[in-house]
Amino acid sequence: MAIVVIDAGHGYKPVKGGVVFDPGAIGYLGQAQYREADITAQYANSIAYMLRTLYPALDTRLLIATADHPLGLQQRRRYEPSAAAFVSVHLNAAENKNAHGYETWYSRERSAGLAQACHAALQRALTGMLDRGIKQKGLTVCQRDKPAVLLELGFISNESDLRTLLLRETRARVARELAHAIAGFIQG
């Protein structure tokens, strides 16, 4: 049974002498504050649920850093090293509030196929948002022996992207399209 890991970016992480909460980027709509860690946890849960529901033959593992189970970058990178696919969910941020759109990152060539499949899913799910493309960079969580990608679903610092990403319908579309893409990549 192939293992799939869905990683919610940020959350609790170990530090010398304890545990701290890493909220990731922060976004605002009026006075309301939104944390990347909370939104990525919702998306990761939805993606994992959709994979488990539509593709029960896959062994889907949900990786969310909690106070009881904090996760550093290396722990995330080393989690389930035999996983057929590792997908880390994030939101982007920029000082320029006009920066917007989604993008897909990967580190090693063996991950290019998973990156293409996941990015095509985002293109289907996030119509109307700017497609910033697929990019390659040595990101820690993507430095795995098996295919791994990091998805930036949009900019939490951009009000339009944030409003779109907070919609339950958007989360459902992203989860459904990514589940199909990940399963299709694995079952190839």
Side-chain angles (χ1 to χ4, degrees):
M1 180 180 290
I3 296 172
V4 176
V5 176
I6 305 299
D7 170 45
H10 302 282
Y12 289 90
K13 65 181 181 180
V15 294
K16 195 171 195 169
V19 174
V20 297
F21 181 73
D22 168 17
I26 305 293
Y28 295 91
L29 291 177
Q31 297 298 316
Q33 181 185 77
Y34 297 91
R35 303 182 303 189
E36 178 181 4
D38 298 330
I39 297 170
T40 61
Q42 291 174 348
Y43 271 84
N45 266 308
S46 295
I47 296 163
Y49 173 81
M50 198 61 69
L51 278 163
R52 291 174 180 146
T53 301
L54 298 175
Y55 302 97
L58 296 175
D59 182 2
T60 302
R61 311 282 175 90
L62 179 59
L63 192 56
I64 296 180
T66 65
D68 293 334
H69 300 285
L71 296 165
L73 285 176
Q74 292 300 330
Q75 290 166 297
R76 291 174 191 271
R77 185 181 67 79
R78 290 192 292 264
Y79 181 77
E80 293 294 349
S82 65
F86 180 94
V87 178
S88 189
V89 181
H90 289 260
L91 301 181
N92 221 331
E95 285 187 31
N96 177 354
K97 304 295 185 219
N98 292 321
H100 64 286
Y102 59 90
E103 57 196 12
T104 301
W105 291 87
Y106 70 101
S107 292
R108 298 182 173 161
E109 282 305 315
R110 70 179 61 87
S111 299
L114 178 60
Q116 291 166 353
C118 288
H119 197 74
L122 295 181
Q123 288 172 322
R124 291 187 298 274
L126 298 173
T127 57
M129 287 179 67
L130 177 67
D131 179 349
R132 297 171 61 92
I134 300 173
K135 302 173 181 179
Q136 187 175 11
K137 183 178 181 181
L139 301 169
T140 300
V141 295
C142 292
Q143 303 239 344
R144 298 170 58 94
D145 290 332
K146 297 284 189 169
V149 297
L150 185 146
L151 306 177
E152 297 278 9
L153 300 179
F155 279 75
I156 196 170
S157 53
N158 178 279
E159 285 191 13
S160 178
D161 276 11
L162 180 55
R163 283 184 201 285
T164 299
L165 292 170
L166 290 174
L167 295 172
R168 185 178 308 126
E169 296 81 16
T170 302
R171 190 169 64 243
R173 273 195 318 273
V174 168
R176 183 179 57 254
E177 293 296 342
L178 282 171
H180 292 319
I182 293 164
F185 169 79
I186 290 170
Q187 296 167 350

